[in-house]
């Protein structure tokens, strides 16, 4: 087996997308996003765009595993943002699992982040993945997933002003990130602003923001207080079009404010996977992105 750096090219993006589709049975995007029905051109394009963004901003954190004939059998992507390391993707073809491919890819990405004080991973329920991350020194915090069409009649209105975010809010976003996760998302904000809607709350009590997609997925949320987190999550759910299915993933037990919003909105809850942390506590109030953490 050979590990080679993944390149910021459409060819490598297609290669890794094919690996993910073969492994997970769907063209979902990066880590933390479960299958959502048949593959679609939009999801495939989103996957490739995220892959190329991370390969371009962190080329030393992106790797592809190839067998002896040169066929891709696995891939991993990790990134560093101001001293906080995150694992965005780890995928191995079913026929290559149990042969050390995943372990080799994980080790290579961990080596990339060896100088970082903090680490974050959103992990599925797969026992082999959980075992690997625990053995790598991560704490595993169980999560829930909330999903359903928002019941607008039951969900109280936000308790204060919320505005649409713009690139002018970048300093505010980075400041909230640093306070909660020890490092700003940096270049990821520009990517998220292109692909998601953004709502921001900023008053004398603090600040908060939430990215959410038109398809109903809450991409990531951070705030300096539970009250502001509740406000921006409520605004995001109420900002979805009528009938769109909302989905909030990777909600840890520390995020009871988010559970309350989800229950008020009529969303269904189920146990999902884990948020894995090393050198830090699970950020709160915070909902991580599967890819950008």
């Amino acid at each position: 087996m050979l590990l080679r750096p993944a390149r910021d090219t459409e060819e490598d993006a297609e290669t890794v997308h094919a690996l993910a589709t073969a492994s997970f049975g769907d063209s979902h995007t990066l880590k933390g996003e479960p299958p959502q029905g048949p593959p679609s051109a939009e999801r495939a394009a989103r996957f490739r765009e995220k892959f190329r963004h991370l390969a371009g901003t962190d080329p030393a954190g992106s790797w592809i595993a190839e067998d002896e004939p040169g066929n891709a059998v696995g891939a991993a992507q990790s990134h560093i943002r101001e001293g906080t390391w995150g694992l965005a993707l780890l995928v191995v073809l079913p026929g290559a699992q149990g042969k050390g491919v995943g372990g080799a890819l994980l080790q290579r990405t961990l080596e990339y982040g060896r100088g970082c004080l903090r680490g974050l991973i959103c992990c599925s329920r797969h026992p082999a993945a959980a075992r690997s991350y625990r053995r790598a020194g991560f704490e595993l915090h169980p999560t829930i997933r909330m999903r359903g069409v928002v019941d607008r009649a039951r969900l109280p209105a936000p308790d204060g002003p919320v505005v649409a975010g713009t690139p002018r809010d970048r300093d505010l976003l980075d400041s909230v990130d640093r306070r909660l996760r020890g490092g700003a998302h940096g270049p990821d904000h520009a990517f998220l602003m292109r692909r998601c809607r953004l709502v921001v709350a900023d008053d004398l009590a603090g600040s908060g923001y939430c990215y959410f997609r038109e398809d109903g997925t809450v991409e990531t949320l951070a705030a300096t207080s539970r009250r502001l987190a509740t406000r921006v999550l409520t605004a995001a759910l109420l900002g979805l079009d009528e009938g769109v299915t909302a989905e909030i993933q990777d909600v840890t037990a520390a995020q009871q404010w988010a559970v309350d919003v989800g229950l008020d909105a009529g969303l269904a809850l189920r146990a999902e996977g884990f948020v894995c942390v090393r050198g830090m506590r699970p950020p709160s109030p915070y909902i991580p992105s599967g890819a950008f953490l």
Side-chain angles (χ1 to χ4, degrees), residues 34-35 143-147 247-250 268-272:
T143 64
I144 62 172
R145 171 188 177 192
M146 301 188 288
R147 193 172 192 272
E247 183 149 341
I248 310 170
Q249 302 176 52
D250 299 314
L269 281 64
R270 78 173 193 187
E272 188 63 22

Side-chain angles (χ1 to χ4, degrees), residues 6 12 15 50 52 58 79 94 105 121 135-136 138 143 167 207 216-217 220 227 245 278 282 287:
D12 273 4
T15 295
K50 279 187 178 181
R52 294 196 62 177
D58 287 83
H79 50 74
L105 286 165
I121 304 172
R135 288 177 175 173
F138 286 82
T143 64
S207 307
T217 301
T220 190
R227 182 174 65 84
T245 298
R278 188 169 72 175
I287 298 174

Side-chain angles (χ1 to χ4, degrees), residues 28-72:
H28 62 81
T29 55
L30 297 188
K31 193 169 185 63
E33 296 190 18
Q36 301 177 26
S40 74
E42 182 181 351
R43 281 196 295 274
R46 188 164 65 230
F47 183 103
R48 294 193 300 270
E49 188 179 6
K50 279 187 178 181
F51 172 87
R52 294 196 62 177
H53 168 77
L54 294 175
T57 55
D58 287 83
S62 297
W63 295 86
I64 293 175
E66 296 178 338
D67 61 15
E68 190 171 341
N71 301 310

